[in-house]
């Protein structure tokens, strides 16, 4: 059967996976390689990822997202808010088949691509939901809510914390300014009754720089 995602012409080939990718993805490595090809091909053609990202797809995108898995408990229900072309949600699902992953994305062009990717990679524990995060408040809850490059922290907290189940966490991938963002969001964290918040790093042994994230524990619900 023709794979619908691969019909477009590839502008460039993605590089081969670095050796560490084998340890991270294990038996799923061929699927991770296929995902990199889909990003470099249909993802670029459809404007979901910049053509200049192709040569650095592994280090800056797949590996950078994959190491976040170290912060997610076994068997967790995970939401990726603002998933875009599937980062980090698709990568987490590939590296951690124990996770049930929901990709939350409002733009149809992107959810179409995500649905095709999920089908092409046979990710039967991944669900694509076309919605803004706020539309799921009070309707869906997840043990871990992840995000990457979606919004400044105060807005992200308002969108994501209401989706975190009691005892769960939010993990927002951020850059070098994570500490500063966290300290500036103190008032929002208080207003939302957020649990403890901290900056955490993942993949120090294989990535330079490592992945930086802000971890926020679920809101403390007052009875
Ligand atoms: C810059 S892209 C990042 C995509 C992906 N996470 C990545 O790192 O490549 C931000 C994404 O957030 C989505 N988005 C914007 N507002 C949103 C909202 N209220 N709820 C969920 N997603 C939203 C956009 O449609 C877009 O796909």
């Amino acid at each position: 059967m023709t794979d619908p995602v691969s019909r477009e012409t590839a502008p460039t080939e993605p590089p081969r996976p670095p050796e560490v990718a084998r340890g991270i993805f294990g038996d799923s490595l061929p699927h991770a390689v296929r995902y990199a090809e889909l990003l470099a091909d249909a993802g670029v053609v459809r404007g979901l990822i910049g053509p200049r990202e192709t040569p650095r797809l592994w280090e800056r995108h797949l590996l950078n997202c994959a190491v976040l898995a170290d912060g997610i408990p076994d068997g967790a229900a995970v939401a990726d808010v603002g998933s875009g072309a599937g980062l980090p949600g698709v990568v987490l699902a590939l590296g951690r088949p124990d996770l049930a992953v929901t990709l939350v994305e409002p733009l149809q062009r992107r959810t179409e691509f995500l649905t095709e990717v999920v089908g092409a990679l046979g990710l039967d524990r991944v669900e694509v939901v076309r919605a803004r995060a706020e539309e799921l408040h009070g309707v869906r809850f997840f043990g871990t809510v992840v995000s990457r490059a979606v919004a400044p922290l105060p807005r992200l907290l308002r969108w994501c914390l209401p989706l975190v189940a009691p005892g769960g966490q939010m993990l927002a991938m951020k850059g070098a300014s994570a500490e500063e963002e966290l300290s500036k969001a103190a008032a929002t964290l208080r207003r939302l009754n957020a649990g403890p918040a901290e900056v955490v790093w993942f993949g120090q042994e294989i990535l330079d720089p490592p992945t930086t994230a802000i971890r926020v524990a679920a809101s403390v619900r007052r009875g």
Side-chain angles (χ1 to χ4, degrees):
M1 205 174 89
T2 315
D3 173 355
V5 204
S6 62
R7 277 196 215 114
E8 292 101 327
T9 313
T12 46
E13 290 289 321
R16 290 165 61 82
E19 199 47 43
V20 287
R22 186 169 304 281
I24 291 181
F25 292 103
D27 292 346
S28 299
L29 184 61
H31 285 113
V33 169
R34 182 75 191 111
Y35 179 49
E37 288 168 0
L38 293 172
L39 287 172
D41 181 345
V44 171
V45 171
R46 298 186 196 180
L48 305 182
I49 194 148
R52 278 185 301 189
E53 298 307 311
T54 305
R56 48 191 189 187
L57 269 180
W58 283 96
E59 280 76 10
R60 256 184 91 121
H61 299 280
L62 276 82
L63 298 181
N64 174 275
C65 290
V67 295
L68 195 67
D70 290 344
I72 304 178
D74 287 349
V78 177
D80 175 17
V81 165
S83 191
L87 297 160
V90 167
V91 177
L92 292 173
L94 285 167
R96 287 279 303 277
D98 58 297
L99 304 176
V101 178
T102 300
L103 309 174
V104 182
E105 171 55 51
L107 293 187
Q108 186 175 0
R109 204 160 47 89
R110 296 181 183 182
T111 55
E112 279 172 4
F113 176 78
L114 290 172
T115 303
E116 290 168 13
V117 164
V118 166
L121 303 182
L123 294 171
D124 51 15
R125 303 204 69 211
V126 177
E127 164 194 35
V128 178
V129 174
R130 184 176 169 209
R132 287 196 295 274
E134 314 87 285
E135 293 169 321
L136 303 181
H137 291 178
V139 180
R140 299 289 304 265
F141 296 94
F142 304 89
T144 297
V145 177
V146 299
S147 59
R148 186 182 86 150
V150 173
L153 189 57
R155 200 184 313 154
L156 204 54
L157 288 164
R158 289 195 294 274
W159 288 352
C160 295
L161 265 183
L163 301 177
V164 179
Q169 62 173 347
M170 183 181 148
L171 271 180
M173 293 174 70
K174 290 285 177 183
S177 62
E179 299 272 11
E180 195 186 337
E181 269 206 73
L182 185 55
S183 58
K184 284 186 178 164
T188 310
L189 287 161
R190 264 197 310 278
R191 215 169 24 249
L192 294 171
N193 295 322
E198 60 182 339
V199 175
V200 285
W201 291 269
F202 299 100
Q204 285 104 322
E205 42 325 299
I206 53 169
L207 294 180
D208 184 19
T211 294
T212 307
I214 295 174
R215 187 200 325 256
V216 184
S219 292
V220 182
R221 289 168 218 276
R222 293 187 174 141

